[in-house]
Amino acid sequence: MPSDPLTPEQREIRELVRDLARERIAPRAAEIDKSAEFPWDVVELFREHELLGLPYDEPYGGTGTGALMLLVAIEEVSKVCATSGLILAVQELGSLAIKLAGTAEQKQRWLPNLASGEWLAAYALTEAGSGSDSAAMRTEARRDGDEYVLNGGKRFITNAGVAHVYTVFAKTDPAADHAGISAFVVEADTPGFEVGRIEPKMGVKGSTTGELHFDDCRIPAKNLLGEEGEGFKIAMRVLDRSRPGVAAQGLGIAQGATDYALEYAKGRETMGRPIAQHQLIQGKLADMEAQCEAARGVLYKVGMLIDEGADGADLTKHSAMCKLLCTDAAMDVTTEAVQILGGYGYISEYPVERMMRDAKITQIYEGTNEIQRLVIAREMVRENRAFLLAGVG
């Protein structure tokens, strides 16, 4: 893969996003973290520059610039503010099920308002008792004539309370495990749907994370995505394409921390010279930069795979790998950045403290990194089996 696989048009968009991030979002990052309030001004900035249209094709009002371009944008924004980068990633996450499984009518109904940024999206799979084990979900959807009636709840849902459209997974056949899960679109003003507690968090504080409650929530039957029982397959196809967004957020955090630590090390002197000239600090900086660059290579490869139409096992494996590598890099690199700054790294006056807190969640949501390792190993075993069955072994 070339060191920079972007086209001239994509590089131009990257520069636009980079300038917006540095000039408009970076000065807001500390206050967003301190106030823990959703940054509607950043949403408006994204709307003005059509960045919320990055996940969508041109027929629906999007930019049509592809998955790789979206990942680059998330990375650039997350270098200065992980909360703001997450807005772009979740806009993609919340609408992917519509793009993958929606009918032409459903796409036309919801995607244009999402592409313009007029509406925000959310993805509601996780429950208090079902995170990695989605078959354990308890939310149910019962067919009643031309409607479905939803009862239950979701937890740890990003964009809770600010989204206009929620992709919700519920059991239409409670006895059927994964095969009983179906996918629906629930609009925020639907009677019987309420947003509950908004969680106080360690990091990405400006992003809302909350509970959803469904109490005899009636939605039109036409809000079903795909067929009954296809929800789990839809959810897994979504995650194959959304995990790279979290990976891009993690990579952005890591690169932002590396860049800041380098500038600090060039200016901070001990024993008569900048600490960037001390070999132990140089070793840390070198490892940080190498880890970012290696992770970026895998992330960009996945973006290109998606743009080329990849699906199935190969995408699943590479998506899991990029999520694992980029988000582990985020935690490793930000920890080292704090160490390079010493006592200054531990106080909130300097951004690496916030970056380290923001980094931790990237190893947890969109499938924990322990789950990513299981996914990668499972696909490796399947590949080996195919290799042996081909008679080559």
PDB file of all heavy atoms in Angstrom, residues 50-80:
ATOM      1  N   GLU A  50     -20.260  20.441   5.537  1.00  0.00           N
ATOM      2  CA  GLU A  50     -20.764  19.190   4.960  1.00  0.00           C
ATOM      3  C   GLU A  50     -20.004  17.958   5.438  1.00  0.00           C
ATOM      4  O   GLU A  50     -19.979  16.930   4.746  1.00  0.00           O
ATOM      5  CB  GLU A  50     -20.732  19.265   3.428  1.00  0.00           C
ATOM      6  CG  GLU A  50     -21.580  20.399   2.864  1.00  0.00           C
ATOM      7  CD  GLU A  50     -21.597  20.422   1.351  1.00  0.00           C
ATOM      8  OE1 GLU A  50     -20.756  19.733   0.722  1.00  0.00           O
ATOM      9  OE2 GLU A  50     -22.466  21.102   0.782  1.00  0.00           O
ATOM     10  N   LEU A  51     -19.408  18.018   6.613  1.00  0.00           N
ATOM     11  CA  LEU A  51     -18.642  16.875   7.106  1.00  0.00           C
ATOM     12  C   LEU A  51     -19.544  15.751   7.598  1.00  0.00           C
ATOM     13  O   LEU A  51     -19.143  14.582   7.571  1.00  0.00           O
ATOM     14  CB  LEU A  51     -17.681  17.310   8.214  1.00  0.00           C
ATOM     15  CG  LEU A  51     -16.595  18.312   7.804  1.00  0.00           C
ATOM     16  CD1 LEU A  51     -15.616  18.534   8.941  1.00  0.00           C
ATOM     17  CD2 LEU A  51     -15.870  17.859   6.548  1.00  0.00           C
ATOM     18  N   LEU A  52     -20.765  16.082   8.023  1.00  0.00           N
ATOM     19  CA  LEU A  52     -21.686  15.021   8.424  1.00  0.00           C
ATOM     20  C   LEU A  52     -22.220  14.262   7.208  1.00  0.00           C
ATOM     21  O   LEU A  52     -22.844  13.206   7.354  1.00  0.00           O
ATOM     22  CB  LEU A  52     -22.833  15.596   9.256  1.00  0.00           C
ATOM     23  CG  LEU A  52     -22.420  16.029  10.672  1.00  0.00           C
ATOM     24  CD1 LEU A  52     -23.506  16.879  11.309  1.00  0.00           C
ATOM     25  CD2 LEU A  52     -22.099  14.830  11.548  1.00  0.00           C
ATOM     26  N   GLY A  53     -21.936  14.766   6.017  1.00  0.00           N
ATOM     27  CA  GLY A  53     -22.303  14.062   4.797  1.00  0.00           C
ATOM     28  C   GLY A  53     -21.244  13.076   4.326  1.00  0.00           C
ATOM     29  O   GLY A  53     -21.466  12.350   3.346  1.00  0.00           O
ATOM     30  N   LEU A  54     -20.100  13.015   5.008  1.00  0.00           N
ATOM     31  CA  LEU A  54     -19.026  12.120   4.584  1.00  0.00           C
ATOM     32  C   LEU A  54     -19.431  10.641   4.532  1.00  0.00           C
ATOM     33  O   LEU A  54     -18.965   9.910   3.652  1.00  0.00           O
ATOM     34  CB  LEU A  54     -17.800  12.290   5.488  1.00  0.00           C
ATOM     35  CG  LEU A  54     -16.996  13.576   5.301  1.00  0.00           C
ATOM     36  CD1 LEU A  54     -15.948  13.716   6.394  1.00  0.00           C
ATOM     37  CD2 LEU A  54     -16.327  13.588   3.926  1.00  0.00           C
ATOM     38  N   PRO A  55     -20.301  10.144   5.426  1.00  0.00           N
ATOM     39  CA  PRO A  55     -20.645   8.715   5.360  1.00  0.00           C
ATOM     40  C   PRO A  55     -21.633   8.342   4.257  1.00  0.00           C
ATOM     41  O   PRO A  55     -21.949   7.162   4.114  1.00  0.00           O
ATOM     42  CB  PRO A  55     -21.280   8.449   6.740  1.00  0.00           C
ATOM     43  CG  PRO A  55     -20.903   9.591   7.608  1.00  0.00           C
ATOM     44  CD  PRO A  55     -20.789  10.749   6.679  1.00  0.00           C
ATOM     45  N   TYR A  56     -22.119   9.315   3.475  1.00  0.00           N
ATOM     46  CA  TYR A  56     -23.260   9.044   2.594  1.00  0.00           C
ATOM     47  C   TYR A  56     -22.934   9.263   1.123  1.00  0.00           C
ATOM     48  O   TYR A  56     -22.080  10.079   0.765  1.00  0.00           O
ATOM     49  CB  TYR A  56     -24.447   9.934   3.003  1.00  0.00           C
ATOM     50  CG  TYR A  56     -24.784   9.794   4.458  1.00  0.00           C
ATOM     51  CD1 TYR A  56     -24.330  10.734   5.381  1.00  0.00           C
ATOM     52  CD2 TYR A  56     -25.494   8.701   4.928  1.00  0.00           C
ATOM     53  CE1 TYR A  56     -24.602  10.595   6.735  1.00  0.00           C
ATOM     54  CE2 TYR A  56     -25.776   8.558   6.276  1.00  0.00           C
ATOM     55  CZ  TYR A  56     -25.327   9.495   7.174  1.00  0.00           C
ATOM     56  OH  TYR A  56     -25.585   9.344   8.513  1.00  0.00           O
ATOM     57  N   ASP A  57     -23.676   8.544   0.289  1.00  0.00           N
ATOM     58  CA  ASP A  57     -23.522   8.670  -1.150  1.00  0.00           C
ATOM     59  C   ASP A  57     -24.220   9.929  -1.663  1.00  0.00           C
ATOM     60  O   ASP A  57     -25.139  10.460  -1.023  1.00  0.00           O
ATOM     61  CB  ASP A  57     -24.089   7.436  -1.849  1.00  0.00           C
ATOM     62  CG  ASP A  57     -23.272   6.179  -1.567  1.00  0.00           C
ATOM     63  OD1 ASP A  57     -22.063   6.319  -1.295  1.00  0.00           O
ATOM     64  OD2 ASP A  57     -23.846   5.071  -1.610  1.00  0.00           O
ATOM     65  N   GLU A  58     -23.819  10.360  -2.823  1.00  0.00           N
ATOM     66  CA  GLU A  58     -24.344  11.604  -3.399  1.00  0.00           C
ATOM     67  C   GLU A  58     -25.856  11.594  -3.630  1.00  0.00           C
ATOM     68  O   GLU A  58     -26.504  12.631  -3.423  1.00  0.00           O
ATOM     69  CB  GLU A  58     -23.614  11.912  -4.702  1.00  0.00           C
ATOM     70  CG  GLU A  58     -22.170  12.327  -4.486  1.00  0.00           C
ATOM     71  CD  GLU A  58     -21.466  12.679  -5.774  1.00  0.00           C
ATOM     72  OE1 GLU A  58     -21.134  11.750  -6.539  1.00  0.00           O
ATOM     73  OE2 GLU A  58     -21.277  13.888  -6.023  1.00  0.00           O
ATOM     74  N   PRO A  59     -26.481  10.462  -4.045  1.00  0.00           N
ATOM     75  CA  PRO A  59     -27.935  10.496  -4.251  1.00  0.00           C
ATOM     76  C   PRO A  59     -28.733  10.884  -3.009  1.00  0.00           C
ATOM     77  O   PRO A  59     -29.877  11.320  -3.119  1.00  0.00           O
ATOM     78  CB  PRO A  59     -28.259   9.063  -4.688  1.00  0.00           C
ATOM     79  CG  PRO A  59     -26.999   8.561  -5.300  1.00  0.00           C
ATOM     80  CD  PRO A  59     -25.905   9.181  -4.488  1.00  0.00           C
ATOM     81  N   TYR A  60     -28.132  10.729  -1.832  1.00  0.00           N
ATOM     82  CA  TYR A  60     -28.827  11.080  -0.585  1.00  0.00           C
ATOM     83  C   TYR A  60     -28.315  12.396   0.009  1.00  0.00           C
ATOM     84  O   TYR A  60     -28.607  12.714   1.163  1.00  0.00           O
ATOM     85  CB  TYR A  60     -28.675   9.938   0.426  1.00  0.00           C
ATOM     86  CG  TYR A  60     -29.198   8.635  -0.118  1.00  0.00           C
ATOM     87  CD1 TYR A  60     -28.321   7.626  -0.520  1.00  0.00           C
ATOM     88  CD2 TYR A  60     -30.566   8.421  -0.278  1.00  0.00           C
ATOM     89  CE1 TYR A  60     -28.798   6.432  -1.048  1.00  0.00           C
ATOM     90  CE2 TYR A  60     -31.051   7.240  -0.816  1.00  0.00           C
ATOM     91  CZ  TYR A  60     -30.162   6.253  -1.199  1.00  0.00           C
ATOM     92  OH  TYR A  60     -30.637   5.085  -1.740  1.00  0.00           O
ATOM     93  N   GLY A  61     -27.527  13.127  -0.767  1.00  0.00           N
ATOM     94  CA  GLY A  61     -27.031  14.415  -0.305  1.00  0.00           C
ATOM     95  C   GLY A  61     -25.676  14.359   0.354  1.00  0.00           C
ATOM     96  O   GLY A  61     -25.204  15.365   0.890  1.00  0.00           O
ATOM     97  N   GLY A  62     -25.039  13.188   0.319  1.00  0.00           N
ATOM     98  CA  GLY A  62     -23.718  13.045   0.916  1.00  0.00           C
ATOM     99  C   GLY A  62     -22.610  13.452  -0.036  1.00  0.00           C
ATOM    100  O   GLY A  62     -22.857  13.851  -1.179  1.00  0.00           O
ATOM    101  N   THR A  63     -21.394  13.325   0.446  1.00  0.00           N
ATOM    102  CA  THR A  63     -20.239  13.721  -0.365  1.00  0.00           C
ATOM    103  C   THR A  63     -19.827  12.629  -1.342  1.00  0.00           C
ATOM    104  O   THR A  63     -19.141  12.907  -2.328  1.00  0.00           O
ATOM    105  CB  THR A  63     -19.042  14.063   0.530  1.00  0.00           C
ATOM    106  OG1 THR A  63     -18.693  12.906   1.315  1.00  0.00           O
ATOM    107  CG2 THR A  63     -19.366  15.227   1.457  1.00  0.00           C
ATOM    108  N   GLY A  64     -20.187  11.371  -1.032  1.00  0.00           N
ATOM    109  CA  GLY A  64     -19.814  10.266  -1.907  1.00  0.00           C
ATOM    110  C   GLY A  64     -18.324  10.019  -1.971  1.00  0.00           C
ATOM    111  O   GLY A  64     -17.822   9.464  -2.955  1.00  0.00           O
ATOM    112  N   THR A  65     -17.597  10.411  -0.928  1.00  0.00           N
ATOM    113  CA  THR A  65     -16.134  10.316  -0.947  1.00  0.00           C
ATOM    114  C   THR A  65     -15.597   9.029  -0.343  1.00  0.00           C
ATOM    115  O   THR A  65     -14.388   8.815  -0.325  1.00  0.00           O
ATOM    116  CB  THR A  65     -15.521  11.526  -0.210  1.00  0.00           C
ATOM    117  OG1 THR A  65     -16.234  11.748   1.017  1.00  0.00           O
ATOM    118  CG2 THR A  65     -15.623  12.781  -1.055  1.00  0.00           C
ATOM    119  N   GLY A  66     -16.464   8.164   0.185  1.00  0.00           N
ATOM    120  CA  GLY A  66     -16.040   6.837   0.588  1.00  0.00           C
ATOM    121  C   GLY A  66     -15.611   6.696   2.040  1.00  0.00           C
ATOM    122  O   GLY A  66     -15.461   7.670   2.784  1.00  0.00           O
ATOM    123  N   ALA A  67     -15.387   5.433   2.415  1.00  0.00           N
ATOM    124  CA  ALA A  67     -15.065   5.080   3.795  1.00  0.00           C
ATOM    125  C   ALA A  67     -13.699   5.596   4.228  1.00  0.00           C
ATOM    126  O   ALA A  67     -13.529   6.075   5.349  1.00  0.00           O
ATOM    127  CB  ALA A  67     -15.126   3.559   3.971  1.00  0.00           C
ATOM    128  N   LEU A  68     -12.697   5.472   3.369  1.00  0.00           N
ATOM    129  CA  LEU A  68     -11.356   5.913   3.743  1.00  0.00           C
ATOM    130  C   LEU A  68     -11.347   7.392   4.092  1.00  0.00           C
ATOM    131  O   LEU A  68     -10.729   7.803   5.078  1.00  0.00           O
ATOM    132  CB  LEU A  68     -10.377   5.624   2.598  1.00  0.00           C
ATOM    133  CG  LEU A  68      -8.943   6.113   2.814  1.00  0.00           C
ATOM    134  CD1 LEU A  68      -8.329   5.512   4.072  1.00  0.00           C
ATOM    135  CD2 LEU A  68      -8.080   5.794   1.586  1.00  0.00           C
ATOM    136  N   MET A  69     -12.061   8.201   3.312  1.00  0.00           N
ATOM    137  CA  MET A  69     -12.084   9.635   3.569  1.00  0.00           C
ATOM    138  C   MET A  69     -12.719   9.928   4.924  1.00  0.00           C
ATOM    139  O   MET A  69     -12.253  10.794   5.672  1.00  0.00           O
ATOM    140  CB  MET A  69     -12.864  10.348   2.465  1.00  0.00           C
ATOM    141  CG  MET A  69     -12.782  11.878   2.537  1.00  0.00           C
ATOM    142  SD  MET A  69     -11.126  12.506   2.228  1.00  0.00           S
ATOM    143  CE  MET A  69     -10.600  13.010   3.874  1.00  0.00           C
ATOM    144  N   LEU A  70     -13.777   9.206   5.264  1.00  0.00           N
ATOM    145  CA  LEU A  70     -14.405   9.394   6.572  1.00  0.00           C
ATOM    146  C   LEU A  70     -13.432   9.054   7.688  1.00  0.00           C
ATOM    147  O   LEU A  70     -13.332   9.786   8.686  1.00  0.00           O
ATOM    148  CB  LEU A  70     -15.658   8.527   6.690  1.00  0.00           C
ATOM    149  CG  LEU A  70     -16.330   8.519   8.064  1.00  0.00           C
ATOM    150  CD1 LEU A  70     -16.847   9.906   8.426  1.00  0.00           C
ATOM    151  CD2 LEU A  70     -17.460   7.495   8.106  1.00  0.00           C
ATOM    152  N   LEU A  71     -12.689   7.955   7.555  1.00  0.00           N
ATOM    153  CA  LEU A  71     -11.735   7.557   8.588  1.00  0.00           C
ATOM    154  C   LEU A  71     -10.651   8.612   8.772  1.00  0.00           C
ATOM    155  O   LEU A  71     -10.248   8.916   9.905  1.00  0.00           O
ATOM    156  CB  LEU A  71     -11.102   6.211   8.225  1.00  0.00           C
ATOM    157  CG  LEU A  71     -12.066   5.022   8.125  1.00  0.00           C
ATOM    158  CD1 LEU A  71     -11.307   3.769   7.716  1.00  0.00           C
ATOM    159  CD2 LEU A  71     -12.810   4.801   9.432  1.00  0.00           C
ATOM    160  N   VAL A  72     -10.188   9.179   7.665  1.00  0.00           N
ATOM    161  CA  VAL A  72      -9.175  10.235   7.744  1.00  0.00           C
ATOM    162  C   VAL A  72      -9.728  11.454   8.485  1.00  0.00           C
ATOM    163  O   VAL A  72      -9.040  12.064   9.317  1.00  0.00           O
ATOM    164  CB  VAL A  72      -8.695  10.617   6.331  1.00  0.00           C
ATOM    165  CG1 VAL A  72      -7.822  11.874   6.373  1.00  0.00           C
ATOM    166  CG2 VAL A  72      -7.931   9.462   5.697  1.00  0.00           C
ATOM    167  N   ALA A  73     -10.972  11.809   8.206  1.00  0.00           N
ATOM    168  CA  ALA A  73     -11.584  12.961   8.873  1.00  0.00           C
ATOM    169  C   ALA A  73     -11.730  12.710  10.370  1.00  0.00           C
ATOM    170  O   ALA A  73     -11.444  13.598  11.188  1.00  0.00           O
ATOM    171  CB  ALA A  73     -12.947  13.260   8.250  1.00  0.00           C
ATOM    172  N   ILE A  74     -12.183  11.514  10.747  1.00  0.00           N
ATOM    173  CA  ILE A  74     -12.309  11.182  12.173  1.00  0.00           C
ATOM    174  C   ILE A  74     -10.951  11.261  12.851  1.00  0.00           C
ATOM    175  O   ILE A  74     -10.809  11.799  13.959  1.00  0.00           O
ATOM    176  CB  ILE A  74     -12.919   9.781  12.347  1.00  0.00           C
ATOM    177  CG1 ILE A  74     -14.356   9.739  11.824  1.00  0.00           C
ATOM    178  CG2 ILE A  74     -12.887   9.356  13.828  1.00  0.00           C
ATOM    179  CD1 ILE A  74     -14.935   8.337  11.718  1.00  0.00           C
ATOM    180  N   GLU A  75      -9.929  10.749  12.185  1.00  0.00           N
ATOM    181  CA  GLU A  75      -8.568  10.794  12.734  1.00  0.00           C
ATOM    182  C   GLU A  75      -8.124  12.233  12.967  1.00  0.00           C
ATOM    183  O   GLU A  75      -7.600  12.572  14.048  1.00  0.00           O
ATOM    184  CB  GLU A  75      -7.606  10.095  11.768  1.00  0.00           C
ATOM    185  CG  GLU A  75      -6.153  10.160  12.192  1.00  0.00           C
ATOM    186  CD  GLU A  75      -5.198   9.685  11.098  1.00  0.00           C
ATOM    187  OE1 GLU A  75      -5.662   9.209  10.042  1.00  0.00           O
ATOM    188  OE2 GLU A  75      -3.973   9.817  11.309  1.00  0.00           O
ATOM    189  N   GLU A  76      -8.317  13.094  11.980  1.00  0.00           N
ATOM    190  CA  GLU A  76      -7.854  14.476  12.093  1.00  0.00           C
ATOM    191  C   GLU A  76      -8.563  15.221  13.223  1.00  0.00           C
ATOM    192  O   GLU A  76      -7.928  15.942  13.993  1.00  0.00           O
ATOM    193  CB  GLU A  76      -8.064  15.209  10.765  1.00  0.00           C
ATOM    194  CG  GLU A  76      -7.147  14.752   9.641  1.00  0.00           C
ATOM    195  CD  GLU A  76      -5.670  14.995   9.938  1.00  0.00           C
ATOM    196  OE1 GLU A  76      -5.350  15.959  10.669  1.00  0.00           O
ATOM    197  OE2 GLU A  76      -4.836  14.229   9.437  1.00  0.00           O
ATOM    198  N   VAL A  77      -9.872  15.057  13.329  1.00  0.00           N
ATOM    199  CA  VAL A  77     -10.615  15.736  14.387  1.00  0.00           C
ATOM    200  C   VAL A  77     -10.221  15.188  15.757  1.00  0.00           C
ATOM    201  O   VAL A  77     -10.047  15.944  16.727  1.00  0.00           O
ATOM    202  CB  VAL A  77     -12.130  15.603  14.161  1.00  0.00           C
ATOM    203  CG1 VAL A  77     -12.902  16.184  15.342  1.00  0.00           C
ATOM    204  CG2 VAL A  77     -12.543  16.310  12.871  1.00  0.00           C
ATOM    205  N   SER A  78     -10.038  13.869  15.839  1.00  0.00           N
ATOM    206  CA  SER A  78      -9.725  13.238  17.121  1.00  0.00           C
ATOM    207  C   SER A  78      -8.329  13.570  17.624  1.00  0.00           C
ATOM    208  O   SER A  78      -8.047  13.405  18.806  1.00  0.00           O
ATOM    209  CB  SER A  78      -9.885  11.719  17.012  1.00  0.00           C
ATOM    210  OG  SER A  78     -11.222  11.373  16.693  1.00  0.00           O
ATOM    211  N   LYS A  79      -7.459  14.060  16.757  1.00  0.00           N
ATOM    212  CA  LYS A  79      -6.142  14.516  17.203  1.00  0.00           C
ATOM    213  C   LYS A  79      -6.263  15.641  18.224  1.00  0.00           C
ATOM    214  O   LYS A  79      -5.404  15.778  19.104  1.00  0.00           O
ATOM    215  CB  LYS A  79      -5.313  15.003  16.007  1.00  0.00           C
ATOM    216  CG  LYS A  79      -4.784  13.908  15.105  1.00  0.00           C
ATOM    217  CD  LYS A  79      -4.010  14.519  13.937  1.00  0.00           C
ATOM    218  CE  LYS A  79      -3.507  13.458  12.973  1.00  0.00           C
ATOM    219  NZ  LYS A  79      -2.778  14.055  11.821  1.00  0.00           N
ATOM    220  N   VAL A  80      -7.319  16.439  18.102  1.00  0.00           N
ATOM    221  CA  VAL A  80      -7.475  17.583  18.994  1.00  0.00           C
ATOM    222  C   VAL A  80      -8.642  17.406  19.967  1.00  0.00           C
ATOM    223  O   VAL A  80      -8.634  18.001  21.049  1.00  0.00           O
ATOM    224  CB  VAL A  80      -7.655  18.897  18.211  1.00  0.00           C
ATOM    225  CG1 VAL A  80      -6.453  19.136  17.299  1.00  0.00           C
ATOM    226  CG2 VAL A  80      -8.940  18.904  17.401  1.00  0.00           C
TER     227      VAL A  80
END
